Amino acid sequence: MYTSFDDTLDKIVRLLKSHQSEFLSGEELSRSLGLSRAAVWKNIKKLQFLGYKITSRQKSGYRLVAKTNLMLPWEISDGLQTETIGRKIYYFNTIDSTQNFALKLASKPHENGSIVISEQQTHGRGRRNRKWFSPRGGIWLSVLLKPNFEISQASLFPMLTSLALAIAIEKVLKLRPKLKWPNDLTLNNKKVAGILVDASIESNQIDYLVIGVGINFKIQPSTISKIVKNSGNFYGITTLVKKKEKADPILLLQSFLHELEQLYSKLVAGNLDGIKNEWEKRSSTIGRKVKISSSPSGEIKGMVIGIDDDGALLISSKGKTQRLLVGDISYQV
Ligand code: BTN
């Protein structure tokens, strides 16, 4: 695990970045870091292993030629415009589930806004106890929040998160994803990202929320589709960035965390209508004929007429309006 705090590697990268047009001597690095020359060399080796291209020249020292493709925590911090969300980052190359790690952090102090990210997950979790296939190339992260809210507002967070991600994708990748209720992001009607929220509640108040975000950033849709085709709610999978395209996941991540923080402060300020409007503008669900196979009241078929203030779906069916707070919908033609 690497973190965005307490890491020598972070300091070395920062020094190298600020001297990119020249060589930085081993002596200067060891003086600035308070490390022996041998320790500096060991850490440079680690950075090279992590994918940084660093040239070393006897007598001149070290120079950074290119940064890594990995989503290392100090790369996410570098240029991040948030105050709370993502200030502490826990990074893994491989983990069972970022969600599980974030749940363990939740009981510790000073972790409000912390994020956990991994290049791949071995036991990624999806909504409704499904497996979430999480190979390299995706962005798999969890955000820990401790909002001072009542339970009734917990269901707004998936909505907030999917909207923040849609806005970030629009800004950074110039794509126009749609929002499929409850909180899927789609491109060409295929799933490109999903959101899962684990909540802990104490006497009517939210104790903490762990918001899990799975983004098919640069994955192979056909391979994943074959694997997950028979799990529930499958309607096709796609990727944000194609194999040969170049795009930096870090820029998308930074933008997403920024948008999430902005929307979160709007919610704290009581501007729910603004958020709902923005969500509805991007929704592919409103005005659609839908089928819900497994609702508490059995199968429902009807027309979606809107979203309630708590994020519930409002469906007009057989002359009545039905509210759906959790579940999967499929579009009818
Ligand atoms: C869905 O079913 O649509 C939600 C998928 C959420 C997946 C993310 S990936 C990061 C985090 N860790 C997990 O194990 N799950 C969430």
Side-chain angles (χ1 to χ4, degrees), residues 19-60:
H19 290 78
Q20 243 172 310
S21 54
E22 63 205 346
F23 278 84
L24 192 61
S25 73
E27 197 184 316
E28 201 173 327
L29 271 170
S30 85
R31 204 176 337 107
S32 317
L33 298 163
L35 290 176
S36 69
R37 295 283 291 273
V40 168
W41 169 242
K42 243 172 109 181
N43 282 300
I44 293 280
K45 282 268 149 220
K46 269 195 201 162
L47 287 172
Q48 287 171 330
F49 175 77
L50 288 171
Y52 287 92
K53 295 219 165 52
I54 301 170
T55 13
S56 64
R57 222 188 255 163
Q58 259 195 357
K59 291 191 185 141
S60 314

Side-chain angles (χ1 to χ4, degrees), residues 68-188:
T68 171
N69 289 328
L70 298 179
M71 295 177 285
L72 289 162
W74 45 85
E75 293 296 340
I76 303 172
S77 299
D78 188 4
L80 181 65
Q81 292 173 347
T82 58
E83 270 171 26
T84 312
I85 299 183
R87 282 292 125 207
K88 269 172 121 180
I89 305 169
Y90 297 83
Y91 166 93
F92 294 85
N93 194 281
T94 304
I95 195 172
D96 56 345
S97 155
T98 57
Q99 202 72 356
N100 296 349
F101 188 86
L103 283 169
K104 282 184 216 141
L105 279 183
S107 58
K108 303 209 165 97
H110 316 300
E111 298 292 352
N112 180 33
S114 293
I115 71 165
V116 185
I117 184 158
S118 186
E119 302 286 342
Q120 63 175 351
Q121 299 183 114
T122 53
H123 292 82
R125 294 198 280 116
R127 283 175 53 237
R128 318 192 82 198
N129 285 329
R130 293 186 190 113
K131 286 184 186 150
W132 182 262
F133 188 58
S134 329
R136 281 181 197 285
I139 304 178
W140 322 120
L141 89 144
S142 297
V143 182
L144 173 61
L145 288 181
K146 301 190 175 183
N148 223 340
F149 283 8
E150 287 184 7
I151 335 169
S152 58
Q153 288 165 304
S155 56
L156 295 173
F157 282 84
M159 193 186 199
L160 200 81
T161 310
S162 53
L163 178 59
L165 184 56
I167 298 174
I169 292 172
E170 288 164 12
K171 288 191 177 164
V172 176
L173 299 172
K174 313 285 175 235
L175 295 168
R176 295 265 168 278
K178 289 275 178 201
L179 298 172
K180 178 174 186 280
W181 190 90
N183 37 54
D184 285 1
L185 274 85
T186 64
L187 274 180
N188 304 321

